[in-house]
Amino acid sequence: MTTLIQDAIPGENKGAGLKKMKKVVRAYAIDLFIWSYMILASWKIIYEKIVIGARYSTFTWSQPLLAVGIGAVVALALFFTRVSIGKAVSGLYESRPERTVLSEPYTMLGYVLLIVTFVSGIFISQVSITEFLSSSGLHGARRIFTALFNPNFAIIEEALFAAIETIYMAFIATMLALPMAFIIAFFAARNLMNGSKVTLAIYSVVRFFLNVSRSIEPLVWAIIFSVWVGIGPFAGMLALWLHSVSSLSKLYSEQIENISNGPIEAMTATGAHPIQVIWFGVVPQIVLPYLSFTIYRWDINVRMATVIGLVGGGGIGTMLMQYQGLAKWNEVGLLVIIIAAIVWIMDYLSSKIREAIK
């Protein structure tokens, strides 16, 4: 027995060493990215825009490559100090009871990183208080808001029909997404799919496609489907449906991963079939959260439906785009009022329904 334990220790040490090596590589990669970013941002924004005052700065690909080279040297030089954010994120530092996390050197570097990012964002976004408060700008804002608060009720009938179209579009997208998301969520839950390499591979593939489809905004999907099936509410519904499937699948799968394992283990011990385990051990624990997530998603889809109409997704958003393009601000004012009313009513109803099913 002693020999077997001694033989097993080197294997355990090797595994621990490999795990630590992965952490070290990841920590250095994080530091390399942070320092390269800070060097490039400080050079192009703080130095060229603020110090030199260059109005237009030239950009070549040699500049980020040079920043990466300098960043690699700086990251390596400071990697063995307590300035490394990568080591802090990877958990490679030993805690020091005499110092709080906020007073650690890597935290101070994080503050500097945040300041550099904020300053860079101000200049890249071209934030200008003088333009915002200029006389011409205030005159234009006054003219537009005056028109918005004087809505043209002549188009009220057309606007209401478009609003109904928007609500139904969001409702159908949610209802069609619900069964697909319900099924996909079980394949995207790690605690149900880590039984073998095959199921884990399926989990990874499903998660990958969910992340990809969810990362693309419904506005982009609406443009794609507008080309595919033509401009109209069908394209908007498809965009909302696809994004709802990926979003609901993620929410559902995370809820499955947080369930209690007691009923599952008990049913498995009695020899229950995997489908029986899921139906009687998992589903009862997730029904109420699923209903809450679904109602909340319908609320989100109603809001999104007004936006995707701007790219031809149908509904009241398409009307808003048309009148805005013609600079008919009185008509736009009426549409804005209707959209605000729809969002408020849907938010109120969804909150009451979620409150009732708790």
Side-chain angles (χ1 to χ4, degrees), residues 81-106:
T81 66
R82 293 189 73 86
V83 182
S84 171
I85 295 179
K87 290 176 71 173
V89 172
S90 302
L92 294 175
Y93 282 135
E94 293 182 3
S95 60
R96 298 195 295 189
E98 70 278 7
R99 301 194 65 171
T100 63
V101 175
L102 296 178
S103 62
E104 289 285 357
Y106 55 79

Short mmCIF file of all heavy atoms in Angstrom, two decimals, residues 81-106:
data_model
loop_
_atom_site.label_atom_id
_atom_site.label_comp_id
_atom_site.label_asym_id
_atom_site.label_seq_id
_atom_site.Cartn_x
_atom_site.Cartn_y
_atom_site.Cartn_z
N THR A 81 7.06 40.58 -9.61
CA THR A 81 6.73 41.51 -8.53
C THR A 81 5.24 41.41 -8.24
O THR A 81 4.52 40.64 -8.88
CB THR A 81 7.08 42.96 -8.94
OG1 THR A 81 6.23 43.36 -10.02
CG2 THR A 81 8.54 43.05 -9.39
N ARG A 82 4.77 42.20 -7.31
CA ARG A 82 3.35 42.19 -6.97
C ARG A 82 2.57 43.24 -7.78
O ARG A 82 1.49 43.65 -7.40
CB ARG A 82 3.15 42.42 -5.47
CG ARG A 82 3.67 41.26 -4.62
CD ARG A 82 3.26 41.43 -3.17
NE ARG A 82 1.85 41.16 -2.96
CZ ARG A 82 1.31 39.96 -2.74
NH1 ARG A 82 2.08 38.87 -2.74
NH2 ARG A 82 0.02 39.83 -2.52
N VAL A 83 3.16 43.64 -8.92
CA VAL A 83 2.47 44.57 -9.81
C VAL A 83 1.68 43.81 -10.87
O VAL A 83 0.86 44.38 -11.57
CB VAL A 83 3.49 45.52 -10.47
CG1 VAL A 83 2.81 46.54 -11.36
CG2 VAL A 83 4.29 46.24 -9.40
N SER A 84 1.91 42.51 -10.99
CA SER A 84 1.29 41.71 -12.05
C SER A 84 -0.20 41.51 -11.79
O SER A 84 -0.59 40.84 -10.82
CB SER A 84 2.00 40.35 -12.15
OG SER A 84 1.30 39.50 -13.03
N ILE A 85 -1.02 42.09 -12.66
CA ILE A 85 -2.47 41.87 -12.56
C ILE A 85 -2.81 40.45 -12.98
O ILE A 85 -3.73 39.82 -12.42
CB ILE A 85 -3.22 42.90 -13.44
CG1 ILE A 85 -3.01 44.31 -12.90
CG2 ILE A 85 -4.70 42.58 -13.51
CD1 ILE A 85 -3.70 45.39 -13.71
N GLY A 86 -2.07 39.91 -13.94
CA GLY A 86 -2.33 38.55 -14.40
C GLY A 86 -2.18 37.53 -13.30
O GLY A 86 -2.99 36.61 -13.16
N LYS A 87 -1.15 37.67 -12.47
CA LYS A 87 -0.94 36.74 -11.37
C LYS A 87 -2.03 36.90 -10.32
O LYS A 87 -2.44 35.92 -9.68
CB LYS A 87 0.44 36.96 -10.75
CG LYS A 87 1.59 36.52 -11.66
CD LYS A 87 2.94 36.84 -11.06
CE LYS A 87 3.25 35.93 -9.89
NZ LYS A 87 4.64 36.13 -9.40
N ALA A 88 -2.50 38.13 -10.13
CA ALA A 88 -3.58 38.35 -9.17
C ALA A 88 -4.87 37.69 -9.65
O ALA A 88 -5.59 37.06 -8.88
CB ALA A 88 -3.79 39.84 -8.95
N VAL A 89 -5.17 37.84 -10.95
CA VAL A 89 -6.38 37.24 -11.52
C VAL A 89 -6.31 35.72 -11.49
O VAL A 89 -7.30 35.04 -11.24
CB VAL A 89 -6.59 37.75 -12.96
CG1 VAL A 89 -7.74 37.00 -13.62
CG2 VAL A 89 -6.88 39.24 -12.96
N SER A 90 -5.12 35.17 -11.73
CA SER A 90 -4.94 33.71 -11.78
C SER A 90 -4.77 33.09 -10.40
O SER A 90 -4.64 31.87 -10.29
CB SER A 90 -3.72 33.37 -12.65
OG SER A 90 -3.88 33.89 -13.96
N GLY A 91 -4.74 33.90 -9.35
CA GLY A 91 -4.62 33.38 -7.99
C GLY A 91 -3.23 32.87 -7.65
O GLY A 91 -3.10 31.90 -6.88
N LEU A 92 -2.19 33.48 -8.21
CA LEU A 92 -0.81 33.03 -7.96
C LEU A 92 -0.14 33.80 -6.83
O LEU A 92 1.00 33.50 -6.50
CB LEU A 92 0.01 33.17 -9.25
CG LEU A 92 -0.42 32.27 -10.41
CD1 LEU A 92 0.39 32.59 -11.65
CD2 LEU A 92 -0.26 30.80 -10.03
N TYR A 93 -0.81 34.78 -6.28
CA TYR A 93 -0.24 35.53 -5.16
C TYR A 93 -0.71 34.93 -3.83
O TYR A 93 -1.85 34.49 -3.70
CB TYR A 93 -0.68 37.00 -5.20
CG TYR A 93 0.06 37.84 -6.20
CD1 TYR A 93 -0.63 38.73 -7.02
CD2 TYR A 93 1.44 37.77 -6.33
CE1 TYR A 93 0.03 39.52 -7.94
CE2 TYR A 93 2.11 38.56 -7.25
CZ TYR A 93 1.40 39.43 -8.04
OH TYR A 93 2.07 40.20 -8.96
N GLU A 94 0.18 34.95 -2.85
CA GLU A 94 -0.21 34.58 -1.51
C GLU A 94 -0.79 35.81 -0.82
O GLU A 94 -0.25 36.91 -0.94
CB GLU A 94 1.00 34.07 -0.71
CG GLU A 94 1.55 32.75 -1.24
CD GLU A 94 2.72 32.25 -0.38
OE1 GLU A 94 3.03 32.93 0.62
OE2 GLU A 94 3.29 31.22 -0.73
N SER A 95 -1.89 35.62 -0.13
CA SER A 95 -2.54 36.75 0.53
C SER A 95 -1.67 37.27 1.66
O SER A 95 -0.97 36.51 2.33
CB SER A 95 -3.91 36.33 1.08
OG SER A 95 -3.76 35.28 2.01
N ARG A 96 -1.70 38.58 1.87
CA ARG A 96 -0.94 39.21 2.94
C ARG A 96 -1.93 39.85 3.92
O ARG A 96 -2.58 40.85 3.57
CB ARG A 96 0.01 40.26 2.37
CG ARG A 96 1.05 39.65 1.43
CD ARG A 96 2.20 40.59 1.15
NE ARG A 96 1.80 41.77 0.44
CZ ARG A 96 2.66 42.67 -0.07
NH1 ARG A 96 3.96 42.47 0.09
NH2 ARG A 96 2.23 43.73 -0.70
N PRO A 97 -2.07 39.27 5.10
CA PRO A 97 -3.07 39.78 6.06
C PRO A 97 -2.86 41.23 6.45
O PRO A 97 -3.81 41.92 6.80
CB PRO A 97 -2.90 38.84 7.27
CG PRO A 97 -2.20 37.62 6.74
CD PRO A 97 -1.34 38.11 5.62
N GLU A 98 -1.60 41.69 6.41
CA GLU A 98 -1.33 43.05 6.85
C GLU A 98 -1.75 44.10 5.83
O GLU A 98 -1.78 45.30 6.13
CB GLU A 98 0.17 43.23 7.16
CG GLU A 98 1.10 43.21 5.96
CD GLU A 98 1.46 41.80 5.50
OE1 GLU A 98 0.87 40.83 6.05
OE2 GLU A 98 2.31 41.67 4.60
N ARG A 99 -2.11 43.67 4.59
CA ARG A 99 -2.50 44.61 3.55
C ARG A 99 -3.83 44.18 2.95
O ARG A 99 -4.10 42.99 2.78
CB ARG A 99 -1.44 44.68 2.45
CG ARG A 99 -0.07 45.11 2.93
CD ARG A 99 0.83 45.49 1.78
NE ARG A 99 0.36 46.68 1.08
CZ ARG A 99 1.07 47.31 0.15
NH1 ARG A 99 2.28 46.86 -0.18
NH2 ARG A 99 0.59 48.37 -0.45
N THR A 100 -4.65 45.16 2.63
CA THR A 100 -5.92 44.87 1.95
C THR A 100 -5.68 44.78 0.45
O THR A 100 -4.65 45.22 -0.06
CB THR A 100 -6.94 45.99 2.24
OG1 THR A 100 -6.45 47.22 1.71
CG2 THR A 100 -7.19 46.13 3.73
N VAL A 101 -6.65 44.21 -0.23
CA VAL A 101 -6.53 44.06 -1.68
C VAL A 101 -6.44 45.42 -2.36
O VAL A 101 -5.71 45.60 -3.35
CB VAL A 101 -7.73 43.26 -2.23
CG1 VAL A 101 -7.68 43.19 -3.75
CG2 VAL A 101 -7.75 41.86 -1.64
N LEU A 102 -7.16 46.40 -1.84
CA LEU A 102 -7.18 47.72 -2.47
C LEU A 102 -5.85 48.45 -2.35
O LEU A 102 -5.60 49.40 -3.10
CB LEU A 102 -8.29 48.58 -1.83
CG LEU A 102 -9.72 48.08 -2.05
CD1 LEU A 102 -10.71 48.99 -1.33
CD2 LEU A 102 -10.05 48.00 -3.53
N SER A 103 -5.00 48.02 -1.44
CA SER A 103 -3.70 48.68 -1.28
C SER A 103 -2.56 47.93 -1.93
O SER A 103 -1.40 48.34 -1.83
CB SER A 103 -3.40 48.86 0.22
OG SER A 103 -3.31 47.58 0.86
N GLU A 104 -2.87 46.83 -2.61
CA GLU A 104 -1.83 46.04 -3.28
C GLU A 104 -1.34 46.78 -4.53
O GLU A 104 -2.10 47.52 -5.16
CB GLU A 104 -2.37 44.67 -3.67
CG GLU A 104 -2.60 43.71 -2.51
CD GLU A 104 -1.31 43.14 -1.96
OE1 GLU A 104 -0.23 43.45 -2.51
OE2 GLU A 104 -1.37 42.38 -0.98
N PRO A 105 -0.06 46.58 -4.92
CA PRO A 105 0.48 47.24 -6.11
C PRO A 105 -0.30 46.92 -7.39
O PRO A 105 -0.48 47.79 -8.24
CB PRO A 105 1.91 46.73 -6.18
CG PRO A 105 2.26 46.37 -4.77
CD PRO A 105 0.99 45.86 -4.17
N TYR A 106 -0.76 45.65 -7.54
CA TYR A 106 -1.49 45.32 -8.76
C TYR A 106 -2.84 46.04 -8.80
O TYR A 106 -3.36 46.32 -9.88
CB TYR A 106 -1.67 43.80 -8.89
CG TYR A 106 -2.33 43.11 -7.73
CD1 TYR A 106 -3.71 43.14 -7.54
CD2 TYR A 106 -1.57 42.39 -6.81
CE1 TYR A 106 -4.31 42.50 -6.49
CE2 TYR A 106 -2.16 41.74 -5.74
CZ TYR A 106 -3.53 41.79 -5.59
OH TYR A 106 -4.12 41.14 -4.53
#
